[in-house]
Amino acid sequence: MPGANLALYDAFRYALVNMNNFQGRGEVLDKSISILHDTSLVHGNICATKHFNNKDWWVMASTDNSEINYYFVLLDQNGISKIKAQKIGNKITRLGNDSDGFLFSPDGSKLARFFYEDGLFLFDFDRTTGQLSNYRRIPVTDSLVLDGGACFSPSGRFLYVGTYWDLYQYDLESTDIKGSEVHIAHYDGYKTKGILRAMIG
């Protein structure tokens, strides 16, 4: 049932790995190094995109905090160099909700966050400053189910959202993104488990 799997984390941690050791397989030098404490990070909500300089990285995490929605950690050649916090957009409906989709567009200019209960959250992202803007909440048809996902097209123009039963396309260059919704397919419930079992014997 919704909310049965409550998953929040109290810290954001990282590990140091030397990839030159063990014939390129790497060696963990240090682990569980804490970046953020007592943040109520939401399970599964971590993603990354390159900084505008194409060398450094922004690593992003979302929280269930009413005062701060997102943290941005700037990772450069020297390690963690900056941590930013931002409050923007809606707080998720249910405590502990993890996103069915939490990802940057291929060029890093947009962030999408999809929930089966809340629909699609869409933001613009500044890869230089690490700032979200232009928050939009887009209801997804038939999204009140316990499953789903989202992904961008390679060009970044289209966003695809899958609920348990249906797959939709949205044109992010449209002035009316919800109005651009195209229903692509409906899942008819067919499963191959029986066929695979017969093939195995």
Side-chain angles (χ1 to χ4, degrees):
M1 61 179 289
N5 297 316
L6 178 61
L8 296 175
Y9 295 97
D10 65 345
F12 185 15
R13 301 177 176 88
Y14 72 99
L16 292 176
V17 180
N18 187 334
M19 292 305 299
N20 294 320
N21 293 353
F22 294 101
Q23 293 78 47
R25 291 176 295 176
E27 177 186 13
V28 177
L29 304 179
D30 200 353
K31 62 181 180 179
S32 297
I33 306 169
S34 183
I35 304 172
L36 301 168
H37 302 276
D38 300 321
T39 53
S40 296
L41 294 173
V42 179
H43 167 68
N45 284 5
I46 296 177
C47 60
T49 191
K50 278 191 174 182
H51 187 280
F52 185 75
N53 62 23
N54 284 321
K55 296 186 297 183
D56 306 332
W57 286 83
W58 290 106
V59 181
M60 182 176 178
S62 67
T63 79
D64 204 68
N65 189 313
S66 60
E67 300 300 322
I68 298 171
N69 293 81
Y70 304 97
Y71 281 103
F72 305 91
V73 177
L74 183 60
L75 178 66
D76 62 20
Q77 62 182 352
N78 298 314
I80 305 300
S81 64
K82 183 185 296 184
I83 299 175
K84 295 169 59 68
Q86 186 175 359
K87 167 69 175 178
I88 183 172
N90 286 33
K91 187 176 184 292
I92 58 178
T93 297
R94 188 183 301 275
L95 179 66
N97 258 0
D98 59 333
S99 295
D100 296 307
F102 186 66
L103 67 163
F104 283 105
S105 60
D107 66 358
S109 66
K110 291 181 175 59
L111 175 78
R113 188 177 182 186
F114 173 66
F115 303 89
Y116 67 87
E117 287 185 292
D118 294 326
L120 177 66
F121 292 0
L122 187 66
F123 308 86
D124 292 341
F125 182 68
D126 188 322
R127 293 193 300 138
T128 300
T129 63
Q131 194 81 5
L132 290 173
S133 62
N134 194 22
Y135 163 70
R136 288 148 289 175
R137 180 181 181 275
I138 302 165
V140 176
T141 305
D142 195 31
S143 63
L144 293 176
V145 292
L146 282 173
D147 211 344
C151 68
F152 286 93
S153 66
S155 68
R157 174 175 178 174
F158 299 102
L159 183 69
Y160 297 92
V161 174
T163 67
Y164 186 87
W165 294 105
D166 296 278
L167 179 65
Y168 299 94
Q169 173 188 280
Y170 298 89
D171 186 349
L172 303 185
E173 292 184 3
S174 172
T175 55
D176 180 7
I177 295 176
K178 174 61 179 177
S180 76
E181 179 182 272
V182 175
H183 181 254
I184 296 175
H186 177 78
Y187 173 52
D188 62 5
Y190 176 77
K191 297 180 181 180
T192 60
K193 183 176 179 180
I195 294 176
L196 291 176
R197 184 175 296 167
M199 292 174 62
I200 293 171

